[in-house]
Amino acid sequence: MGTTRDFIVSAFADTLLPMFSRSMEDAVYETIDKRQIPTRTDFKEVRDLVNNLRGQVTGTTSGIQRIVDQIETLSARIDAMEARISEGSTMEAPRSKTLTCKVEGCNEPYRAKGFCARHYQQWKRGRLPEFPPDA
Ligand SMILES: [Zn+2]
């Protein structure tokens, strides 16, 4: 059941994180390439750039963490829905097979609202006085 969440989280980590660290590297090398021979000022600029990028990456990482948290919440809901669906499919399938119409003497298979298909249609049209239609 946890596979959906694991898949999404790893997709995020695999796709986004290398992208950010790569763009940081590119920016550093680009700055060095432009100056050819780095001076003390260049080193300071590069260091400031790295610090600036590190701040951005940290901000982005916490942004990703928030997204991951939201994904975890969503996937918990998906898990609950999947559980409910699989419960429903194991409980309802035999029910519709074993239940029959609630009209006395009718043994037709269950269709809806406790009736077989024919009696359900009759009930819907108000033709079953012993079972008044829903208000
Ligand atoms: Zn019936």
Side-chain angles (χ1 to χ4, degrees):
M1 287 290 183
T3 48
T4 312
R5 175 186 55 231
D6 293 346
F7 173 76
I8 294 168
V9 170
S10 73
F12 261 91
D14 291 346
T15 317
L16 290 181
L17 292 178
M19 224 166 71
F20 289 119
S21 54
R22 199 215 158 98
S23 71
M24 180 165 146
E25 259 177 42
D26 288 348
V28 171
Y29 285 122
E30 208 179 284
T31 307
I32 293 170
D33 284 349
K34 262 191 237 155
R35 306 300 168 99
Q36 302 293 334
I37 303 156
T39 64
R40 199 180 185 86
T41 316
D42 291 333
F43 275 119
K44 189 192 175 298
E45 275 181 26
V46 170
R47 198 188 57 212
D48 289 348
L49 182 63
V50 168
N51 286 340
N52 181 25
L53 282 170
R54 190 184 291 141
Q56 283 182 34
V57 169
T58 307
T60 311
T61 305
S62 80
I64 290 174
Q65 189 53 54
R66 275 200 302 279
I67 293 169
V68 168
D69 288 346
Q70 288 172 359
I71 289 169
E72 300 226 28
T73 307
L74 279 176
S75 88
R77 284 189 204 163
I78 291 170
D79 286 353
M81 280 192 281
E82 281 175 344
R84 222 176 299 151
I85 288 165
S86 67
E87 264 173 44
S89 63
T90 54
M91 284 167 69
E92 248 169 78
R95 196 183 88 176
S96 58
K97 271 175 201 156
T98 52
L99 274 192
T100 54
C101 182
K102 68 182 174 185
V103 173
E104 211 166 292
C106 178
N107 290 313
E108 290 300 306
Y110 179 91
R111 172 63 209 276
K113 294 273 180 188
F115 300 105
C116 66
R118 188 167 59 94
H119 282 124
Y120 174 66
Q121 290 303 319
Q122 292 181 0
W123 170 79
K124 247 173 58 177
R125 297 188 168 98
R127 292 197 211 133
L128 289 178
E130 65 268 48
F131 298 104
D134 289 345

